[in-house]
């Protein structure tokens, strides 16, 4: 646990008692603060009481006696409108922060400063690929024998990590919700993977969404910035951070284009990762045979992780060896079975069109399971990738809407996951890929994308006789 510093003996209001909220209360108490905890959900309050946390209705609190309000990332604090308790804190002049801000405020202690190698923080953000990039960095460092922990949106909550060790690296996945509000952001290495429209209501448009991501680079000034430059926003961000074209504090990364110039560049093209510095090639890795990193989107993730590992002093060969043993993350281009020459891929995390497009581009001869609670525009934007699809098997609330947008692509409305998997398995031939990439949220049939992915895997195993 990271004991929160700076609030000893003071009242700290905590709004939201999910995973991060409960961890925040414990970390505040460890640092001598007095948490005043509340959640609008009776179920969450009951769990907090079971954990020994005292509850205080923040709608009735005397804000004059509160040092700061800590809120969970899922609670709106600005757009489309702030939560009523957060609005009351604003009106009373009480600062509002989150667990990420507390983490960076409390990370360095008198003990860690005395280490021979002070711990470092790598923070990863972006629209797509954050989780895989974070997990891949963690895996590379583990394989290299470096002490490392993974936290944030993946793994543990940031304040729940174990006591820090000499030379340790903490790898954080951070969302725009977390970055927008954190009052302290001081990573040693910051990573920006890419940007595509998401959470626009929460950020009042694309500009607000990008501004939230940009805070990771603007607030604390990381020692090293790894920036994907395949979109205009990434190019702008790299230009903002770099002091000159040859500034090696910025590592530009790309999937699909060769990067030129005198700086430090890492890019993947035609399945090969290349590292260039000052116009000279330093290393190359063949990514095509790495099963845990299929497709161009994973090649971008590989470039980001490679750049971070190099900035931390690891050799190219060591990174390549770690790539080969990376198994990928559950529900993200995860191969769950292979039988009769047919591969079964679970990409339940592909909850929007952009991530589904990446999945479709990663494979050929696809029997595509899609559908769920569709988003604005449906799947019309996937038309350029439908040539890879042999047949679509549509499920969930948006099945009929998606069917109208498939053009001449053969399709079947299956309604449920079990029917879709059974039909795809019955029709699949050697060389085909049965791919779950829903391009939709899961909430019409499942509580989250993990449960949806688990249902796909269970149906595949049942179809193969492995119940």
């Amino acid at each position: 646990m990271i004991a929160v510093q700076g609030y000893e003996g003071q009242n700290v209001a905590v709004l939201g008692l999910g995973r991060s909220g409960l961890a925040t209360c414990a970390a505040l108490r460890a640092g001598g603060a007095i948490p005043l905890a509340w959640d609008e959900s009776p179920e969450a309050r009951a769990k907090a009481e079971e954990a020994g946390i005292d509850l205080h209705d923040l709608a009735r609190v005397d804000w004059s006696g509160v040092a700061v309000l800590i809120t969970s990332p899922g609670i709106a604090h600005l757009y489309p409108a702030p939560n009523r308790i957060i609005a009351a804190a604003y009106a009373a002049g009480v600062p509002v922060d989150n667990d990420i801000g507390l983490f960076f405020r409390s990370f360095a202690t008198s003990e860690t400063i005395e280490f021979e190698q002070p711990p470092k923080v790598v923070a990863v953000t972006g629209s797509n690929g954050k989780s895989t990039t974070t997990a891949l960095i963690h895996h590379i460092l583990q394989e290299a024998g470096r002490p490392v922990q993974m936290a944030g949106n993946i793994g543990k909550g940031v304040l729940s990590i174990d006591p820090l060790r000499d030379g340790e690296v903490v790898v954080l996945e951070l969302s725009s919700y977390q970055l927008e509000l954190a009052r302290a952001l001081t990573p040693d290495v910051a990573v920006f993977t890419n940007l595509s429209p998401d959470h626009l209501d929460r950020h009042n448009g694309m500009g607000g969404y990008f501004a939230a991501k940009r805070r990771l680079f603007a607030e604390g000034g990381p020692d090293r910035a790894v920036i994907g430059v395949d979109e205009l926003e990434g190019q702008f961000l790299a230009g903002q951070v770099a002091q000159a074209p040859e500034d090696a504090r910025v590592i530009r990364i790309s999937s699909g284009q060769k990067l030129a110039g005198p700086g430090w560049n890492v890019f993947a093209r035609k399945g090969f990762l290349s590292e260039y510095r000052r116009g000279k090639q330093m290393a190359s890795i063949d990514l095509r045979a790495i099963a845990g990193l299929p497709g161009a989107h994973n090649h971008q993730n590989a470039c980001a992780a490679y750049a971070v590992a190099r900035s931390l002093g690891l050799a190219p060969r060591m990174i390549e060896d770690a790539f080969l043993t990376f198994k990928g993350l559950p529900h993200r281009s995860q191969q769950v079975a292979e039988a009769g020459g047919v591969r079964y891929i679970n990409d339940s995390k592909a909850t929007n069109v952009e991530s589904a497009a990446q999945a479709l581009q990663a494979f050929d001869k696809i029997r595509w399971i899609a559908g769920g609670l569709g988003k604005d525009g449906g799947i019309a934007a996937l038309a350029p990738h439908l040539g890879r699809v042999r047949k679509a098997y549509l499920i969930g609330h948006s099945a009929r809407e998606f069917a109208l947008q498939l053009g001449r692509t053969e399709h079947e409305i299956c309604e449920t996951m079990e029917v879709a998997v059974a039909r795809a398995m019955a029709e699949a031939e050697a060389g085909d890929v049965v791919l779950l990439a829903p391009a939709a949220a899961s909430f019409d049939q499942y509580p989250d994308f993990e449960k949806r992915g688990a249902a796909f895997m269970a149906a595949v195993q049942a179809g193969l006789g492995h119940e």
Side-chain angles (χ1 to χ4, degrees):
M1 178 190 299
I2 300 292
V4 172
Q5 300 179 41
Y7 294 110
E8 186 175 358
Q10 300 181 66
N11 292 326
V12 176
V14 179
L15 178 60
L17 296 174
R19 184 189 68 164
S20 66
L22 294 176
T24 296
C25 289
L28 285 166
R29 288 193 298 199
I34 305 165
L36 310 178
W38 188 250
D39 195 294
E40 304 283 7
S41 163
E43 293 80 6
R45 294 199 299 269
K47 288 183 179 179
E49 286 186 309
E50 290 176 7
I53 293 173
D54 295 330
L55 298 174
H56 300 262
D57 187 348
L58 296 181
R60 301 178 181 180
V61 74
D62 178 3
W63 290 105
S64 65
V66 175
V68 64
L69 169 63
I70 308 301
T71 182
S72 294
I75 301 173
H77 59 266
L78 185 57
Y79 301 114
N83 173 277
R84 64 192 179 101
I85 291 172
I86 295 176
Y90 290 156
V94 173
V96 180
D97 203 350
N98 61 16
D99 62 332
I100 304 303
L102 294 180
F103 170 83
F104 281 108
R105 177 189 179 105
S106 308
F107 177 75
T109 66
S110 57
E111 292 180 357
T112 61
I113 291 172
E114 295 300 320
F115 286 162
E116 184 176 334
Q117 296 182 56
K120 292 180 180 288
V121 178
V122 176
V124 181
T125 194
S127 296
N128 296 303
K130 297 188 298 296
S131 296
T132 298
T133 298
T134 302
L136 182 55
I137 295 167
H138 179 261
H139 176 76
I140 293 168
L141 292 170
Q142 272 191 325
E143 292 293 290
R146 295 282 293 271
V148 60
Q149 295 188 69
M150 180 170 62
N153 264 8
I154 186 172
K156 298 180 177 180
V158 291
L159 295 173
S160 297
I161 64 173
D162 296 330
L164 298 170
R165 295 168 287 177
D166 198 324
E168 187 156 37
V169 180
V170 178
V171 189
L172 303 179
E173 178 194 340
L174 299 180
S175 72
S176 57
Y177 292 1
Q178 294 169 312
L179 292 173
E180 187 175 48
L181 192 59
R183 292 169 60 86
L185 288 168
T186 54
D188 297 278
V189 183
V191 181
F192 175 86
T193 58
N194 51 56
L195 198 77
S196 60
D198 209 356
H199 312 304
L200 300 190
D201 59 335
R202 179 70 179 265
H203 298 292
N204 202 33
M206 195 69 175
Y209 178 48
F210 176 55
K213 301 287 189 186
R214 183 180 177 274
R215 291 191 76 243
L216 184 61
F217 301 83
E219 292 299 310
D223 295 335
R224 191 84 63 184
V226 176
I227 300 176
V229 294
D230 288 333
E231 294 88 29
L232 178 61
E233 291 86 354
Q235 296 168 24
F236 169 83
L237 183 58
Q240 289 275 297
V241 175
Q243 296 296 317
E246 64 275 10
D247 188 349
R249 293 176 306 161
V250 177
I251 308 177
R252 292 171 173 83
I253 64 168
S254 172
S255 176
Q257 61 173 320
K258 180 177 180 179
L259 299 179
W264 192 348
N265 299 313
V266 178
F267 58 88
R269 192 160 176 254
K270 297 181 179 179
F272 286 86
L273 181 152
S274 298
E275 177 190 3
Y276 277 74
R277 292 200 213 183
R278 298 177 182 176
K280 295 182 179 180
Q281 185 169 5
M282 308 298 293
S284 177
I285 297 175
D286 186 351
L287 300 175
R288 295 172 299 176
I290 298 176
L293 295 167
H297 62 300
N298 275 311
H299 291 178
Q300 184 190 54
N301 299 334
C303 288
Y306 176 95
V308 170
R310 291 289 282 143
S311 74
L312 294 174
L314 273 64
R317 181 59 183 272
M318 186 177 292
I319 301 170
E320 181 177 8
D321 289 345
F323 281 173
L324 291 168
T325 58
F326 182 64
K327 302 299 183 184
L329 285 178
H331 315 297
R332 296 164 176 87
S333 294
Q334 174 192 14
Q335 182 167 316
V336 299
E338 183 172 359
V342 178
R343 289 191 290 161
Y344 297 88
I345 306 295
N346 168 24
D347 202 341
S348 183
K349 185 63 169 63
T351 58
N352 57 38
V353 165
E354 289 78 14
S355 51
Q358 294 171 344
L360 291 176
Q361 292 176 77
F363 305 101
D364 292 307
K365 299 180 180 179
I366 298 169
R367 296 192 177 273
W368 179 32
I369 299 174
L373 194 60
K375 300 184 179 180
D376 290 346
I379 57 170
L382 294 176
H385 312 298
L386 295 180
R388 296 172 176 265
V389 177
R390 300 192 67 174
K391 184 176 178 179
Y393 305 82
L394 303 174
I395 65 173
H397 179 270
S398 298
R400 285 166 177 78
E401 176 192 348
F402 283 13
L404 295 173
Q405 297 177 313
L406 285 173
R408 296 183 178 181
T409 301
E410 186 180 354
H411 61 273
E412 180 178 340
I413 294 176
C414 299
E415 302 287 0
T416 69
M417 181 70 72
E418 291 73 19
V419 172
V421 171
R423 295 291 299 140
M425 294 182 79
E427 297 178 351
E429 302 172 354
D432 287 355
V433 172
V434 175
L435 170 68
L436 171 65
S442 62
F443 306 125
D444 57 333
Q445 294 178 313
Y446 302 97
D448 49 47
F449 72 85
E450 290 97 338
K451 293 291 191 301
R452 178 170 60 188
F456 170 77
M457 292 189 286
V460 169
Q461 294 302 318
L464 296 175
H466 298 157
E467 290 182 283

